[in-house]
């Protein structure tokens, strides 16, 4: 859970610009793919050495280099240096604990995004850092771990229809961002289903597992919130500030993402509000059940304890106990007990406990 | 409950501008009506094909086309294209999960509104998306599902009195918006009635059903809030920003709606505050009842348990128990018991439990 | 309680400007009084027809017409039209569910205020709408129900001392507003007394009636808040915006009211904070009492239940029970019991329950 | 507690500017002292009549007149009129329920401050209003009740060292304000001590007195907050707005007070946060104790109640009960009971209750 | 805990600029070190007298004087005066209860920072004040207590690589600030570990120690928050306002710290949110356990209390009790008891308690 605090401190005491990867080290090899594309042609290849990138760079109007895995810091530095990315930016790419942000460098825009995914059965949301660098005719994207996050974008590029091949690198960056934001809705939809189940469960009973689901959802919403609020600001800046690298025609698409992010925020806050209401409901249901349990205990006890006492009295062995010798002593005691039961019954009725 | 999250994800991976209807599919056929009107004449007809719209379009100073149902995406696209509505706007019309917003297109203003209605017996509030497109001399309105929402506007048009026939398309849009906001008051009035009943119920008892009503009202207010806060901004923009399509004389009416929306917000927040107070009241009442129950149990137990013990003692079968043979043993035990009862009585009195 | 939602909906579907009174209908006749006044002379008369108003209008430098009751919509419309008040403003006068607001019309300023009063024994705060229209030389004031709210202003006019006769209509409006704000302090003072009593009650016991008082005060503060926050904005506008109808010399008095409103807000928020603290105190006191009750029950039970068991054992009728025949069996059992009691005593002492 | 609401209403219905003292009437006579001072000389005298003030006024570069007690409204009016203080300002001086504020009059600045002091044993914080009027070469200060609040300032004047004698009246006003703010730290320090004791108490037990201390501290912090937040604004204005009466060289000292006020606010908010945490801690500790109590009761009951039942069974007097005649019946019953106890023991162990 | 309130009041009544050290007095001697450095050379020496500082001052392009301990007010004043630091600034250095702030003096910038450290086993966070004065070619730093906080900066200076030796005094100040902010992450990481352990503990049981850890973490987060929020403003000012002493090239590094501070704030707020959720979880788990305990008690009691009563009845010694003489009386009673047990079982099953 406290993953968001891990590995932060390994850099303490280092001078700024020290290129050390502080994220999780996956065993797989880093995978680099390059897409050179223009309106009419497209080349897609997996890359094994830095030289191959240089080779493919200037053949096409636009090039998109995507890296899965950040372990190979040397290669990343080599590529970034080639595209004249500042050392501090490279440092940020390698520290996957950044908040979403946008920074303008010389000749490029650097955007930090967070991909959200479900991991394991505990329905925990995991955030993966995705760094995107937009240059005049190139996009570099860095993902923390392997995965097919951007497969839909690749397919649209391969298909060659729609705006994506005709437009420049800024539109490609938009497409990547859009894909990431779309995935947030997946998280929200799954959470919404859980919420619906939870509500039904709460209105009928209040088991311990409901409480844990409630808690898990709260934590999830915190994770989404942490990612989405700063993203809102990022997209706002991209749309409003006059970055030269982003064409006017792309603004309308950024506004579209902005609307989506606002929708995500709105939904997250609504879910949080509902969770708070549900927690109150849970607490009250617990109290209600406690009341019900206590009522049963109290009714049984207050009826039988006096009766048991009476039975006890006539079980005493005193030599002189006149009642014991009365012929109607035994039925009289039963009568007395019946009267007590009836009295109690009336009392509980009046209290509204029956 | 999580309806607000449904169908969002079906579009993931699609390029922007893909025209797929993501809302609920109703069985009824889509119903299109056209109102051509000027100060002196009015034509109203139900429309079955796109050609009929073209035919009736230029005969009157203003035309209002209303569509109930969004399933027929082809027709909607045809109509919108005819009125030169942008593809992204059409996409928004077809995705009924938009937040209320206003967008300016070329030659038109696009407004997303939410109609609120009660559905079923569970008093759940349901939000239906209403899209309105205002052009220089036309209004297009799109409703998710059939219904007589705008019947009062139609009647005013038919009646021909008042400003509505004399004024332009912008005044018609105002009239549609006004109708929608007026319906919010219906929701609030019904909620207010429930609130009043609930308060009375809480001040006397605290049943489980009160808790569920409380919870349902909280959820409802969340739904209204979600719709009204962004609407406030929408109307603020329409009134303040200098849209050419909205005449100066219409501004005073928009300010009137703005006042209404503020009133709705104010009322929603007040109801929320009252619900919070009521929940506290409910919780405390539960605790109070628990205390009362426990007090009864404790009084009965602490009085009779010691007495039962004494009776038990003299029920023992030891051969040598001198008390049993005393002539006044039995009355003495009764005396002892009486003293214990009196002592307990004093104790409870001093504790304030009786 | 939900009075603030009543009668709102009766207007739904009406065109704007429809003059229907939506408030409560009182049986008494509407009462109209006119005050014509200048620095040196004053005429005060009750008015029965519209013509009388016309007659008295131009005789004095300033005229104040006050109406108690809004049932006679025809008369109100006649008067307002005479003073060239806009139809939308008249509509607002007749709908007493407005929030406090200020609007500038042509040749007049329209201010909506709320008079707060205690009604009935349940100490419920009731809000009455007071509309004030300020013209160059006239003030029209409309109250929902009869009452002597403005008697102190009338007396100051009659007395003829002070600024009120020397100053113009804007100063009269200030005097009316000041009277209304002063009455808020009455509500607060009474609430403060209740609060003081409540606190004392809570620090000693925690009865159910305290809870109800707490709840009632919370609701009251909500009602005051609802009225005062928008009023703050109203007065701020009146003071800061350059309304021609309000003379410079009146600004210092408006600032004085502004200070009072801020004081009211400050007090309301403080009372709300204190009520929240008191509720916490109440809840904890309840829990404390529950603990005390349970402790008594537990002590009595855990002492006597084992003893009763022992007595039960030696009450069994087995033929072969050697202890029963021991000569010191009975005293030995008493000894055992004593030891158990002492052991429990030590146990409870160590737990800190005694 | 509701002192902050007292005496507010006695002025209702009065015209503005009515000079009535609405605070508490102390029995002691009002005490007036005048300090005339320049860099090299100083005269300090107690004043009995208005004429003495006139006499001493123009002898020194600066004069400071301090009044303890506000009962003598006539004298206050006389003095204020002499220094050309506006009637509305005099009214504010006489109504000690003002919030801290700064107002510019013609030729003077009027500042309302609040002195905080502990009163009685209940550790209640009491706020006394201190009004300060700064003119070009005079300072008038009005305190509600007698006390040695400004003794340290007097001593610095008498000592004649430091800036205070060399600087003008504005520096004297700063010195008075600084003294008042310094006293807030006294309140905070005492509250901090209580807080520390309280925390220690809460971590070990949770007595009722802790709850009352918690509540008292909450109330105190509300009182300090009420005074400090508006003061922040006052000092901000004094420092930023270009008041002619305040020299540039005094600004750095006002900024110093501003820092102190921010520190007070910061501390108050931190204490409030800690109190909230402590209340949660208290509540949970209570619940924990309840659990512990109930556990003891449940363990004892569930062990002995079945045993007592068994003993009861063999205490029955049926003629035909074969077990009673078995030679090993009695030891067998003991064995059964032992088994039950062991079974319960295992059950409780598994539940984690032992 | 209330350490943050200690020693504040010892200064009350003093004139401004009084140089009294109000912090904790450590026994160790104050330790002063000087670093004179330029791009190519470096001198580091421990300083024992004021004269040594003068001697070393102008030999190098930049000089950094660091003081551990603030007891020797005379020396501090001497040094500060030499570097023309204002008396009010020296006063702030000596009062370690300042909030983080930045102030511009004549020829220098004064920055107050807070170093956070864990102290003792109670995991309490302690804040130490660090004052930094930046001049054109010197940096003075004052720490409250001895420690190796800045050892990493010293090592970078000694190493001579990287920007630190080439850059001016402003970069050195940045390096000091960066070191302090980096240490905040240490606190957060440790808190994150505690949080993780705590969560695991809460999801399985709910011991008292979890509650105390929860409380301790809450308090810690308050302490970090108190320090970090004002720091954010400090760095914002340093980056945005055009201080002449800070070179343009240093701005990018300040923005880097700013990002870190935002990250710290974000993490603190997330931890606070999680703690709140965990507290709710804890409370509910307690209630759940109480319910479980009560259920056991109720089941055992309601089953055996009626049975015991029946046994009691047939233990009575009435002479005429026909059942006792029936041959099948005893088995019949057992049958009755069995039926009761079965009935109860069905009842509990239906209630969902088994």
């Amino acid at each position: 859970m406290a993953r968001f605090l891990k590995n932060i401190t390994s850099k303490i005491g280092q001078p700024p610009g020290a290129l050390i990867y502080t994220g999780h080290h996956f065993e797989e090899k880093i995978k680099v793919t390059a897409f050179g594309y223009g309106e009419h042609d497209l080349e897609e290849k997996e890359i094994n050495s830095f030289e191959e990138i240089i080779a493919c760079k200037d053949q096409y109007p636009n090039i998109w280099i995507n890296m899965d895995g950040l372990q190979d810091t040397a290669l990343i530095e080599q590529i970034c240096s080639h595209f004249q990315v500042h050392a501090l930016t490279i440092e940020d790419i390698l520290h996957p604990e950044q908040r979403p942000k946008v920074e303008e460098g010389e000749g490029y825009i650097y955007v930090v995004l967070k991909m959200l995914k479900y991991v394991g059965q505990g329905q925990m949301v995991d955030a993966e850092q995705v760094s995107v660098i937009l240059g005049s005719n190139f996009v570099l994207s860095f993902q923390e771990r392997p995965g097919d996050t951007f497969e839909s974008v690749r397919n649209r590029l391969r298909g060659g229809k729609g705006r994506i091949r005709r437009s420049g690198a800024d539109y490609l960056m938009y497409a990547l961002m859009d894909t990431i934001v779309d995935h947030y809705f997946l998280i929200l939809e799954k959470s919404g289903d859980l919420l619906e189940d939870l509500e039904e469960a709460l209105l009928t009973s209040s088991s311990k597992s409901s409480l844990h689901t409630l808690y898990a959802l709260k934590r999830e919403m915190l994770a989404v919130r942490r990612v989405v609020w700063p993203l809102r600001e990022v997209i706002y800046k991209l749309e409003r500030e006059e970055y030269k690298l982003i064409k006017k025609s792309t603004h309308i698409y950024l506004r579209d993402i902005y609307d989506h992010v606002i929708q995500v925020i709105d939904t997250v806050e609504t879910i949080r509000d509902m969770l708070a209401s549900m927690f109150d409901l849970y607490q009250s249901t617990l109290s209600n059940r406690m009341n019900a349990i206590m009522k049963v205990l109290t009714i049984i006890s207050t009826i039988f304890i006096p009766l048991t006492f009476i039975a006890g009295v006539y079980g005493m062995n005193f030599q002189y106990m006149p009642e014991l010798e009365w012929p109607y002593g035994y039925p009289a005691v039963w009568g007395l007990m019946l009267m007590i039961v009836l009295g109690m019954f009336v009392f509980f009725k009046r209290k509204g406990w029956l």
Side-chain angles (χ1 to χ4, degrees), chain A residues 137-186:
Chain A
N137 65 342
F138 63 90
V139 167
L140 311 181
S141 60
F142 302 87
Q143 300 182 57
E144 246 186 282
R145 64 194 72 165
D148 57 351
T149 314
F150 292 142
E151 198 58 27
S152 66
V153 178
R154 278 186 207 107
N155 283 333
R156 272 156 67 196
L157 271 177
R158 285 168 195 145
K161 272 178 262 169
R163 292 179 53 103
I164 197 161
R165 284 269 281 280
R166 289 199 313 274
S167 310
D170 58 337
Y171 189 85
L172 179 64
M173 184 181 74
Y174 149 74
L176 297 178
M177 291 174 73
D178 193 40
T179 304
I180 284 171
V181 172
D182 273 356
H183 274 79
Y184 295 167
F185 285 107
L186 277 176

Side-chain angles (χ1 to χ4, degrees), chain A residues 163 167-168 170-171 174 246-254:
Chain A
R163 292 179 53 103
S167 310
D170 58 337
Y171 189 85
Y174 149 74
I246 295 175
K247 292 185 207 95
K248 264 261 160 114
S249 60
T250 309
H251 278 207
I252 191 171
Y253 294 97
L254 288 170

Side-chain angles (χ1 to χ4, degrees), chain A residues 69-87:
Chain A
L70 303 172
Q71 305 97 303
D72 192 347
T73 54
L75 182 62
I76 290 172
E77 201 187 346
Q78 229 175 354
I79 295 173
C80 285
S81 302
H82 180 78
F83 288 99
Q84 287 170 313
V85 173
H86 192 282

